[in-house]
Amino acid sequence: MSTTQTDKIEINKVATSKINEVDFENLSFGSVFTDHLLECDFKNGEWQKPVIKPYAPFLLDPSARVFHYGQAIFEGMKAYKDEDDSIWLFRPDENFRRFNSSAVRMAMPEVPEEVFMEGLNHLLKLDHEWIKKGLGNTLYIRPFLIATGQGVVANPSDDYKFMIILSPAKAYYSGEVKVLIAEHYSRAANGGIGAAKTAGNYAGQFYPTNLANKEGFQQIIWTDDATHTKLEEAGTMNVFFRINDTLFTAPVSERILDGVTRKSLIDMAKKEGINVEVRPVLVSEIIEAVKNGTLKEIFGAGTAAVVSPISGFSYRNEYFELPKIENSIASQLKDKLTNLQHKLTEDPFGWTVKVS
Ligand code: COI
């Protein structure tokens, strides 16, 4: 292992990379991690010096608050390599902003921009060989913050650990995605934590999603908790509905995550002249549209999932299959977005940021 110190960061490199053990053509999402990680502790009321070190398990006290009260947040981002071997991030400022707003909601300290951004840049440069060129190849970036303070008293921790780990990734979903519209379980409630990217929001979905899986559905479309009449998110994604030639998606709220892919697709679609309406989308109007043939597409949008077409949905034990369409809006937007992210086309929005 070799060590480099600056006054801002310490870098301890692995002696031997494990990259040659990885089959980059057959990656299952989020299961392989690069050689290094970034770690920065919060102790005695302040952030310590960030360290990049070999990826490895670490020790925590069994009473650490993260295990008992789920004081934990995360982000999902991606890095891309262009044809000239430059590394690019997509709207990292949006992830940084959302990370710290999740931290505030979970009574955690905000991570300084230089720890997050400069730490990430150093880490990406060190593990640059793990980012493969070509559409479909990405490096998924998982920044997270956990409460490490000891003691099972139910109040916020004094100590925290911020980390960034990196995982080479292809698509999150492969094959058809069929969804079930939620009628009983809820993902989020007004005044709750639905807009924060916090661990429990995802854990709370596992049980209802397992039940849906048993019925042959990959994901659930969550509805509002109070009336179950408004369509909100689809599993780990925001969700869009196309009726005739208009796209509809719910506005972000206390219950709905402010997705970076979601807001990018809205802007891209508008620029393409596609009519987009951001307003509550009712279950009843989707049922009416599927019955009268005007519901053309449903797709999910997220960093991991990119743009994921939904082939059909079930509501109150009735299954509705969507038409198979050539040149769907989902596929057009996905191509535009991934070409822009991989720097294969111009970026008129200024969303791509070079790692340097
Ligand atoms: C992402 O799309 O990055 C997410 O955070 C979803 C995750 C549960 C895979």
Side-chain angles (χ1 to χ4, degrees), residues 29 74 76 140 142 172 197 202 236 302-305:
F29 181 87
F74 70 94
Y140 186 73
R142 174 53 67 89
Y172 189 80
K197 222 160 158 61
Y202 293 80
T236 63
T303 299

Side-chain angles (χ1 to χ4, degrees), residues 26-334:
N26 295 295
L27 293 166
S28 123
F29 181 87
S31 57
V32 171
F33 294 92
T34 65
D35 289 323
H36 300 93
L37 58 76
L38 177 107
E39 178 183 73
C40 186
D41 288 331
F42 183 87
K43 277 188 209 148
N44 305 319
E46 55 189 10
W47 287 100
Q48 311 295 305
K49 187 171 177 175
V51 182
I52 288 179
K53 59 188 199 179
Y55 185 100
F58 58 96
L59 282 177
L60 278 186
D61 193 278
S63 72
R65 300 284 211 289
V66 62
F67 298 135
H68 304 273
Y69 305 118
Q71 215 189 353
I73 59 163
F74 70 94
E75 265 305 317
M77 313 166 64
K78 278 179 177 167
Y80 310 82
K81 199 174 254 179
D82 70 13
E83 287 309 305
D84 301 325
D85 282 327
S86 297
I87 303 168
W88 296 86
L89 292 167
F90 182 71
R91 310 187 77 175
D93 49 323
E94 290 287 340
N95 296 95
F96 173 67
R97 182 193 54 73
R98 190 173 63 184
F99 191 78
N100 276 342
S101 76
S102 300
V104 170
R105 180 63 184 86
M106 299 305 288
M108 301 169 98
E110 292 177 64
V111 174
E113 184 164 2
E114 67 174 6
V115 171
F116 191 107
M117 292 298 188
E118 288 179 31
L120 175 58
N121 277 15
H122 279 290
L123 186 61
L124 288 171
K125 281 189 280 181
L126 193 58
D127 281 344
H128 67 97
E129 285 183 9
W130 292 78
I131 315 174
K132 300 296 176 193
K133 286 188 203 176
L135 272 179
N137 293 321
T138 64
L139 188 69
Y140 186 73
I141 301 167
R142 174 53 67 89
F144 63 100
L145 176 65
I146 53 170
T148 52
Q150 297 178 13
V152 294
V153 57
N155 59 22
S157 172
D158 288 330
D159 300 337
Y160 295 87
K161 190 181 283 298
F162 171 65
M163 286 186 145
I164 304 180
I165 54 177
L166 307 173
S167 176
K170 291 192 182 267
Y172 189 80
Y173 293 108
S174 52
E176 290 207 323
V177 181
K178 291 185 191 170
V179 296
L180 188 69
I181 295 182
E183 281 194 86
H184 171 68
Y185 293 104
S186 301
R187 178 190 168 274
N190 283 335
I193 52 173
K197 222 160 158 61
T198 181
N201 273 343
Y202 293 80
Q205 298 188 43
F206 292 165
Y207 175 70
T209 307
N210 277 349
L211 297 180
N213 292 162
K214 285 191 188 129
E215 290 181 47
F217 300 98
Q218 283 69 42
Q219 281 298 345
I220 292 180
I221 294 193
W222 299 104
T223 47
D224 66 294
D225 62 299
T227 65
H228 292 289
T229 57
K230 295 178 206 139
L231 296 153
E232 305 214 312
E233 283 193 37
T236 63
M237 310 177 282
N238 295 109
V239 64
F240 287 81
F241 303 86
R242 172 181 167 195
I243 300 179
N244 290 319
D245 285 327
T246 299
L247 284 183
F248 296 86
T249 193
V252 292
S253 69
E254 283 186 306
R255 300 187 306 268
I256 302 183
L257 195 79
D258 185 7
V260 180
T261 309
R262 170 192 174 279
K263 66 170 75 161
S264 307
L265 294 186
I266 292 173
D267 290 350
M268 292 180 86
K270 285 185 177 165
K271 192 161 191 300
E272 291 304 304
I274 297 167
N275 195 27
V276 185
E277 284 191 29
V278 178
R279 61 142 172 92
V281 187
L282 301 178
V283 178
S284 57
E285 64 186 316
I286 292 306
I287 300 294
E288 190 187 321
V290 77
K291 287 187 174 163
N292 68 24
T294 54
L295 181 66
K296 307 289 184 204
E297 295 179 57
I298 305 180
F299 54 91
T303 299
V306 194
V307 176
S308 193
I310 288 169
S311 57
F313 67 92
S314 173
Y315 182 64
R316 296 197 171 153
N317 295 324
E318 196 172 354
Y319 181 69
F320 301 94
E321 184 81 20
L322 290 171
K324 308 241 176 305
I325 335 187
E326 293 286 310
N327 200 23
S328 63
I329 292 186
S331 68
Q332 290 174 44
L333 290 178
K334 180 177 180 180

